[in-house]
Structures are given as C-alpha cells and as structure tokens.
Amino acid sequence: MGNALRFLYGQCCKPTTAGDSESLGHHGVSAATVGVSALAHDLFHFEITSQVPEGLSKHVVSSKKAQANWYRKLLEAWRAAKPPPKTPEEAARLVIETLKRHQKADVEGLLAFYGLPLPHTLDQLTAGAPTSLPEGVQYEFQTFPVDSRAIADGDGMTVYVSTTDPRESSCVPIGVRLAVVQRSQARAEKNYTEANAIYEKIKESGYRGIDAPENEMPYGKEAKEELTKIVQGKCLRVLVYGEDQYDRYVADVYCNGKFVQELMLKKGFAWHYAAYDQRPELARWEKEARDKRVGLWASSNPEKPWEWKKKNNKEKGQMRR
C-alpha cells in the first residue's frame, strides 16, 4: 500500500567536520545549549553504560550509587516528557520535580553542574502554559540538510538527525540509538558486513496524509523533481504524531516554515491519502489542484499509486508461480 511523505532514520549521525571543536564547549556542545544538551547527553550515556559523569561528585554530597539512582529517575522522566525539555528552565524544573525527595544540596549541586537555573531563580509555573507544538504532536526533529541523492521519489526521502546533539537524539527511539552505537563500533572494527546489517535495522519509515506517483508511473519523475526542488540542501522540521499499526512514524514535514505536503498537493504531484488522514485542508488543496488541472491532474483520469502498486504486486506474484 502506498506510503505518503515518509522519512527514514538513516545513519542518524554525521561526522564532526574539522574546525567544529573550536565552537564547542563543555560536553561537546555550544555554550548557548550546554545546560540542556549536556544533561540529555549524560542521560543518553547513562542509558547505555550505567555510568554517571565524571566530576559530578565534586558538586554533590551523595555517593555514586545514589547518583546512579538519580540518573535512572531522570532518564525515565526525560523519556516520559512529551516533548523533552528544550530550555534550561524546563530542564531545571524536570530535575527539581523528579528529585524533590532528595537532599537539597544534591539537587542544587546537580543543577549547578549543568549550569541550570537554581530553584530560587525559577519563576512559578503558570497553569495552562501554551505549547509551541501543534495539538497531537509528541515531539519534533530538526534534520541535517537533505541530499538530493537521498530523495527516492515524490513521497520518499532519507533524512538524518544528529546523535551528537542531545536535543535531537533524545527523541530518537532507543532501539535506533543503540543500533547507531553498535554500528559505530562495527565500523571502528572494520566489520562492514555487520555495520551494513545494523544500518538496515536503523531505517524506519513514516507518513502523514499524501501519496505521490511512483517513479515508473506517469508524473512520477516530475513529482520526484518537485520534491527535490523543495527540500534539496534544506534542513527539515519533522513533527511526529506517533506510530501507526506498522510501527512507522506518522509525521508532518516542514521546510523553511512551509508545509511540504501542502506544497506537493497544490502543485498537483500528490493525492490526499484520505484512508490515513482525514484533515479537510488536505482534501481542499487536492481539489484546488484538480480544478486548475495542474501536475498529474492534467490527465483526465490519473491512476492512483496505491491501485497501481496493488496491481503490480499481484502481477509479480503471478509471475513467481
């Protein structure tokens, strides 16, 4: 069955380029993001190694065994937060709330270790504070620039997020993050067969609301060219709503503030996939393109991609018999 605009978690990391280290601070992130990013980085590291960061004991009074207990609690709270903390204030409140039964000196020492606001400097939380994410969105990703070679067709591409940026990696499913670590280890050992096998496990797909012609179909090439024109070399904002019954990630994709699915529908290079998304604006954008007879709607009766794939899969099955 046809996927709509889907994104793949590819390698989920990108090598650090020469010169990056000059702009990086404590824990390998910029000074502007050190608090939140360093905490997320250490929680991710603890999840894999069960090790608390070196140097923390200089800031707190409790033992390393107690510190490990804090990190288990914080990791659980961080993963439960939808979305994870993005600002120093949000991270500080998560720490304070999670460790509220622990010694004040330990809580304040932990906050000081990450440069997060101390309890007395935080404003009281206001009830019903607005969220910056649309209703239903669990979390978001900011991707690396899209490579044109990673665009498979009019509704499929591979995108990458950085596991070195905890603001992004904290949202990546744990199975993917562990696979990234395992793949890096395999590559370091020059076991490329295993590394390639792990890479296949990393890939995940998702869609939200549209379906474009396959490359072999009429207007398939044009749909791919249009998507390439929109996203090539751009960083994308991916808003994740959850997972479907096939464990694929359901998401909306934005490029330079523009809704990619909307652009593809209005250009006439995609169908509104109503079976998976009933939002009325998607149907309206498709109708606008139909009325203007743009893109694939220049044809009087264009074949739907899900019907085309069903027919071709059936033919392939008969040929194998």
Side-chain angles (χ1 to χ4, degrees), residues 96-107:
I96 294 167
E97 178 62 26
T98 304
L99 303 182
K100 60 185 177 182
R101 298 184 183 278
H102 294 264
Q103 296 184 62
K104 179 180 178 181
D106 283 329
V107 175

Side-chain angles (χ1 to χ4, degrees), residues 29-102:
V29 294
S30 68
T33 62
V34 63
V36 181
S37 295
L39 175 58
H41 175 277
D42 287 344
L43 290 175
F44 172 44
H45 186 263
F46 178 82
E47 188 171 28
I48 297 174
T49 66
S50 297
Q51 298 294 316
V52 298
E54 291 294 331
L56 178 59
S57 294
K58 297 178 181 179
H59 295 260
V60 299
V61 297
S62 294
S63 66
K64 283 205 170 185
K65 183 178 180 180
Q67 295 169 27
N69 184 40
W70 306 341
Y71 276 75
R72 276 190 288 271
K73 292 181 179 180
L74 290 171
L75 177 61
E76 183 178 347
W78 192 280
R79 293 177 65 181
K82 301 293 184 181
K86 298 289 185 181
T87 67
E89 291 75 18
E90 290 172 350
R93 289 187 177 108
L94 182 141
V95 171
I96 294 167
E97 178 62 26
T98 304
L99 303 182
K100 60 185 177 182
R101 298 184 183 278
H102 294 264

Side-chain angles (χ1 to χ4, degrees), residues 4-36:
L5 188 65
R6 56 187 182 271
F7 64 93
L8 308 180
Y9 291 120
Q11 187 176 345
C12 286
C13 61
K14 187 175 183 178
T16 302
T17 57
D20 283 354
S21 59
E22 296 180 0
S23 62
L24 300 182
H26 180 55
H27 286 83
V29 294
S30 68
T33 62
V34 63
V36 181

Side-chain angles (χ1 to χ4, degrees), residues 66-314:
Q67 295 169 27
N69 184 40
W70 306 341
Y71 276 75
R72 276 190 288 271
K73 292 181 179 180
L74 290 171
L75 177 61
E76 183 178 347
W78 192 280
R79 293 177 65 181
K82 301 293 184 181
K86 298 289 185 181
T87 67
E89 291 75 18
E90 290 172 350
R93 289 187 177 108
L94 182 141
V95 171
I96 294 167
E97 178 62 26
T98 304
L99 303 182
K100 60 185 177 182
R101 298 184 183 278
H102 294 264
Q103 296 184 62
K104 179 180 178 181
D106 283 329
V107 175
E108 293 189 349
L110 184 64
L111 292 172
F113 178 67
Y114 290 108
L116 297 173
L118 297 177
H120 67 274
T121 66
L122 287 172
D123 294 330
Q124 294 296 316
L125 282 170
T126 57
T131 175
S132 60
L133 294 177
E135 182 179 357
V137 174
Q138 295 184 7
Y139 50 85
E140 68 176 282
F141 290 98
Q142 302 289 337
T143 76
F144 284 121
V146 177
D147 190 327
S148 61
R149 294 170 296 181
I151 301 172
D153 50 35
D155 62 10
M157 57 184 155
T158 299
V159 297
Y160 296 84
V161 299
S162 173
T163 55
T164 65
D165 185 341
R167 292 168 300 173
E168 309 304 337
S169 66
S170 62
C171 295
V172 177
I174 179 59
V176 176
R177 282 184 279 159
L178 292 176
V180 169
V181 174
Q182 293 166 356
R183 182 174 186 264
S184 297
Q185 293 173 343
R187 288 178 62 85
E189 297 168 359
K190 298 185 178 180
N191 188 344
Y192 299 113
T193 300
E194 181 180 354
N196 291 336
I198 295 172
Y199 176 74
E200 294 304 317
K201 295 180 182 179
I202 293 174
K203 291 182 180 177
E204 296 288 348
S205 63
Y207 57 80
R208 182 81 178 176
I210 68 169
D211 202 358
E214 297 297 303
N215 287 333
E216 299 83 1
M217 295 177 63
Y219 298 97
K221 180 181 178 181
E222 290 83 352
K224 178 180 178 180
E225 290 176 349
E226 183 62 30
L227 181 59
T228 301
K229 188 188 307 181
I230 294 170
V231 303
Q232 181 179 0
K234 310 290 198 319
C235 295
L236 305 180
R237 183 187 185 208
V238 181
L239 302 181
V240 181
Y241 289 82
E243 300 178 22
D244 71 356
Q245 64 268 37
Y246 303 108
D247 297 323
R248 297 177 301 193
Y249 290 90
V250 180
D252 284 344
V253 181
Y254 288 82
C255 181
N256 288 343
K258 296 180 180 179
F259 187 22
V260 174
Q261 286 95 314
E262 176 183 357
L263 298 177
M264 293 296 289
L265 284 167
K266 287 184 173 181
K267 291 284 187 177
F269 289 118
W271 278 260
H272 169 211
Y273 206 177
Y276 288 100
D277 196 320
Q278 288 79 45
R279 285 180 288 183
E281 59 267 34
L282 273 68
R284 184 176 72 252
W285 295 329
E286 179 189 298
K287 184 177 184 302
E288 290 174 3
R290 280 176 178 265
D291 293 343
K292 295 177 182 177
R293 303 190 67 83
V294 296
L296 61 89
W297 303 116
S299 298
S300 58
N301 188 28
E303 185 174 15
K304 298 178 177 63
W306 53 91
E307 294 177 353
W308 182 90
K309 280 178 275 193
K310 183 177 180 181
K311 180 181 67 177
N312 278 267
N313 289 337
K314 184 177 180 180

